[in-house]
Amino acid sequence: MELFETLKKVTLDSYRIHHLVAIFSLVYVILKISKLIVKRNEWIRALETFPGPPKHWLFGHVREFKQDGNDMYKVVKWGESYPLAFQMWFGPFVSILNIHHPDYVKTILASTEPKDDLSYRFLIPWIGDGLLVSEGQKWFRHRRLLTPGFHYDVLKPYVKMMSDSAKTMLDKWETHSKSDESFELFEHVSLMTLDSIMKCAFSSNTNCQTVRGGESGTNSYIKAVYELSDLVNVRFRTFPYHSEWIFQLSPHGYKYRKACNVAHSHTEEIIRKRKEALKDEKELGRIQAKRNLDFLDILLCARDEDQQGLSDEAIRAEVDTFMFEGHDTTASGISWTLYSLACNPEHQQICRDEVISALEGRDTMEWEDLSKIPYTTMCIKESLRLYPPVPGMSRKITKPMTFFDGRTVPEGCLVGTSIFGIHRNATVWENPNAFDPLRFLPKNSAKRSPHAFVPFSAGPRNCIGQNFAMNEMKVVVAQTLKRYHLTEDPMKKPKMIPRLVLRSLNGIHVKIKPVDLEP
């Protein structure tokens, strides 16, 4: 009987505890939601001078994006109704001011305001607190330490390595050139740019384009990057996933951690091997006497005015950042450029004639050739305008910001720059959806705002690797045109979709045939 009473008491106490926990949890949730509602109302008032398209009370504008290849055009269409800028809502509590005009983007890009703490926060477990997402003095110090890695003298030897990687890819395309069927090129280009950056930035010959299992579909790092890009997008669009613990407990969170481990293993192995090779060499001058310097040499040997270098954690973050930014964005730029030229054979032929003249019988590009292909360069720029590899970016402002028309946004506002929207803005570009490389003739460029074309961002936080990227795009496009005619597949039109970089839902397909150089 006494035992029964004891058990009864324990059961009642346990029930009361669970009851109290439930009550406290409910109160916490109610307070949390109340706080979010107050914040939502504050943002509605703060952005009332920036009207936007009608939104759902719970989902905001999320359900407007169908992930069907037309979402990018929808933002451009909204821009026609709401000039300069408009508010967009992702769920009930997250509001972003979307700007799509050069005069507005000039204000935000001229500042050093940090990247937003929402979407970019989701990248940190993958690429760490590197140059892309860091802020304040840490960003300034890292930017200063990394800038020598993109000096003319460092970039110059890379052209030969880029050329070799491009040749390997084009050799593999021989099979496709004998077929009348189209093939998907983004995967090939991704593997080629990975091969290239491994050679250039990390002096590592992986032979990833040719060794067994090296195809992009089975390459573990490429697969991890694709999966991480998709999962970051899924997390941003799924409001409950903004909660760290909900995402971590979800199947998507498990996949994200697994893919991060693959990516980190890849970069850690690169760093480990280089540290081992450099254990007796601490000065860049002594390293350079033996071979060409690369990005990783400069990263490991970088010192500030106090002779302090980067921590192991910072080095891995910068390597992870550059591995992603240096191969995936460039792969997007090259793939869409080749597609643009396939769709515009008259411009393709002008480029080919220019390249053949510049190379003077050679099959591969050299440093001196980069300045000899101005028309090809204009075509690359026009493709970057139509298909910017990074279609948008976002900042969180730390103090009130006033734009040229007098409208102001308060501290804490998320300001998104739609690069795709700016590049397709009909008030800035005549016939904006047409492919017209002559827009980039010097006399025509001089008539436009310098912020009308920002594929590499602009201002103090512009892309540190933009010269590296442009050089690689020139090399690969030129060598491709020297060797193959490109034609589009009208049955497989690409469906644009933003996944950190601009991709296509159904891939990017072209047909190729060998160039006949005989008259």
Side-chain angles (χ1 to χ4, degrees):
M1 189 69 180
E2 188 176 330
L3 178 61
F4 175 76
E5 290 296 327
T6 301
L7 288 171
K8 183 178 178 182
K9 185 175 183 300
V10 169
T11 302
L12 285 171
D13 289 344
S14 177
Y15 172 78
R16 290 190 185 102
I17 291 170
H18 283 101
H19 190 61
L20 286 172
V21 168
I23 291 172
F24 280 123
S25 298
L26 181 61
V27 170
Y28 172 80
V29 169
I30 291 171
L31 289 174
K32 189 77 173 176
I33 292 174
S34 298
K35 185 178 178 182
L36 288 170
I37 290 172
V38 170
K39 196 69 178 174
R40 168 190 165 89
N41 292 334
E42 288 176 359
W43 284 122
I44 289 173
R45 288 192 295 272
L47 296 176
E48 62 184 357
T49 57
F50 296 94
K55 62 182 182 297
H56 187 275
W57 69 272
L58 179 60
F59 299 108
H61 296 104
V62 170
R63 294 200 301 184
E64 296 291 329
F65 299 109
K66 310 296 185 185
Q67 304 291 300
D68 59 359
N70 295 309
D71 294 343
M72 307 292 292
Y73 295 111
K74 181 163 289 186
V75 174
V76 173
K77 191 69 178 174
W78 283 343
E80 294 172 3
S81 302
Y82 305 96
L84 305 178
F86 57 86
Q87 57 177 284
M88 290 172 59
W89 288 81
F90 294 89
F93 306 119
V94 178
S95 177
I96 294 178
L97 179 66
N98 184 78
I99 60 179
H100 55 95
H101 192 279
D103 292 339
Y104 255 56
V105 79
K106 176 182 178 180
T107 304
I108 187 71
L109 295 187
S111 74
T112 56
E113 294 289 27
K115 300 295 176 67
D116 76 53
D117 56 1
L118 181 61
S119 55
Y120 289 93
R121 171 169 61 90
F122 304 151
L123 287 169
I124 291 176
W126 170 17
I127 62 173
D129 196 15
L131 208 57
L132 179 65
V133 296
S134 58
E135 58 186 85
Q137 284 303 308
K138 181 176 183 178
W139 170 82
F140 182 78
R141 177 175 180 265
H142 283 210
R143 177 85 181 203
R144 190 155 39 87
L145 291 175
L146 267 60
T147 295
F150 300 92
H151 188 271
Y152 164 95
D153 291 332
V154 177
L155 295 179
K156 190 173 180 179
Y158 289 174
V159 172
K160 171 70 168 63
M161 303 175 200
M162 293 169 176
S163 176
D164 290 344
S165 293
K167 183 179 183 303
T168 300
M169 179 184 73
L170 297 174
D171 287 345
K172 290 169 61 183
W173 285 9
E174 282 285 353
T175 305
H176 298 293
S177 72
K178 297 170 184 175
S179 168
D180 292 328
E181 298 295 317
S182 64
F183 72 104
E184 204 290 312
L185 62 82
F186 201 117
E187 289 190 1
H188 289 266
V189 176
S190 288
L191 201 58
M192 183 275 299
T193 56
L194 178 61
D195 184 27
S196 185
I197 202 165
M198 291 295 291
K199 289 176 183 174
C200 297
F202 307 112
S203 299
S204 177
N205 289 304
T206 62
N207 298 316
C208 63
Q209 294 193 81
T210 55
V211 295
R212 183 175 176 81
E215 292 293 341
S216 167
T218 56
N219 181 279
S220 58
Y221 179 75
I222 293 281
K223 286 176 68 178
V225 169
Y226 270 62
E227 190 160 22
L228 288 165
S229 299
D230 286 342
L231 289 169
V232 168
N233 182 67
V234 167
R235 188 174 183 187
F236 179 72
R237 297 180 66 251
T238 309
F239 178 68
Y241 280 177
H242 291 190
S243 164
E244 190 66 32
W245 67 270
I246 291 177
F247 181 70
Q248 292 299 332
L249 291 173
S250 72
H252 287 113
Y254 171 76
K255 288 181 181 178
Y256 187 83
R257 291 193 300 276
K258 189 176 178 182
C260 274
N261 289 336
V262 172
H264 292 161
S265 296
H266 185 77
T267 50
E268 284 166 359
E269 182 67 6
I270 293 168
I271 296 168
R272 185 193 65 75
K273 286 181 178 178
R274 180 57 57 84
K275 280 188 170 182
E276 181 69 20
L278 291 181
K279 61 183 179 183
D280 298 323
E281 301 287 355
K282 299 298 181 185
E283 296 180 8
L284 287 176
R286 292 172 65 182
I287 300 168
Q288 196 167 17
K290 298 180 179 179
R291 58 173 171 78
N292 292 318
L293 290 178
D294 64 20
F295 174 74
L296 191 52
D297 289 324
I298 290 164
L299 202 58
L300 291 170
C301 298
R303 297 291 182 271
D304 59 19
E305 58 273 12
D306 298 322
Q307 293 304 302
Q308 295 297 309
L310 295 168
S311 67
D312 288 348
E313 182 184 4
I315 289 169
R316 195 189 82 173
E318 298 302 353
V319 170
D320 278 323
T321 297
F322 195 58
M323 281 291 296
F324 162 64
E325 291 278 357
H327 102 269
D328 210 31
T329 54
T330 312
S332 176
I334 292 169
S335 298
W336 287 106
T337 298
L338 294 178
Y339 171 73
S340 296
L341 292 171
C343 295
N344 295 275
E346 68 283 6
H347 295 297
Q348 181 185 156
Q349 189 56 47
I350 295 172
C351 291
R352 181 174 294 107
D353 293 341
E354 179 182 68
V355 168
I356 290 170
S357 174
L359 293 183
E360 298 178 333
R362 288 176 285 111
D363 291 325
T364 56
M365 292 282 285
E366 297 175 1
W367 174 264
E368 291 74 17
D369 301 321
L370 297 176
S371 60
K372 298 177 182 177
I373 50 171
Y375 196 87
T376 306
T377 302
M378 290 194 295
C379 285
I380 292 171
K381 289 182 176 179
E382 177 66 346
S383 179
L384 291 175
R385 181 188 72 82
L386 288 168
Y387 307 103
V390 180
M393 52 197 170
S394 181
R395 305 274 186 94
K396 183 174 183 177
I397 63 173
T398 58
K399 53 186 177 292
M401 179 173 286
T402 301
F403 295 98
F404 78 96
D405 58 357
R407 290 188 288 182
T408 299
V409 289
E411 173 188 345
C413 183
L414 302 181
V415 179
T417 298
S418 174
I419 297 176
F420 188 89
I422 293 168
H423 288 183
R424 301 264 186 155
N425 191 324
T427 67
V428 179
W429 303 91
E430 185 179 350
N431 198 7
N433 295 320
F435 185 85
D436 179 10
L438 297 182
R439 301 178 199 272
F440 291 96
L441 282 170
K443 65 178 183 180
N444 293 332
S445 294
K447 299 173 186 175
R448 289 190 302 269
S449 162
H451 292 88
F453 178 65
V454 284
F456 299 106
S457 187
R461 291 199 67 135
N462 68 348
C463 173
I464 194 173
Q466 60 183 287
N467 289 328
F468 176 95
M470 279 300 296
N471 289 350
E472 184 165 21
M473 284 189 276
K474 289 181 186 181
V475 167
V476 178
V477 170
Q479 290 186 197
T480 302
L481 296 181
K482 173 76 161 52
R483 192 158 170 182
Y484 297 115
H485 284 287
L486 310 173
T487 54
E488 66 171 322
D489 184 342
M491 304 304 293
K492 295 180 179 177
K493 295 275 190 183
K495 298 177 180 179
M496 280 188 293
I497 191 163
R499 287 287 186 271
L500 297 184
V501 302
L502 190 65
R503 298 187 186 276
S504 167
L505 270 175
N506 56 335
I508 300 176
H509 293 79
V510 296
K511 299 177 183 180
I512 61 172
K513 290 296 177 187
V515 171
D516 182 7
L517 296 181
E518 294 299 320

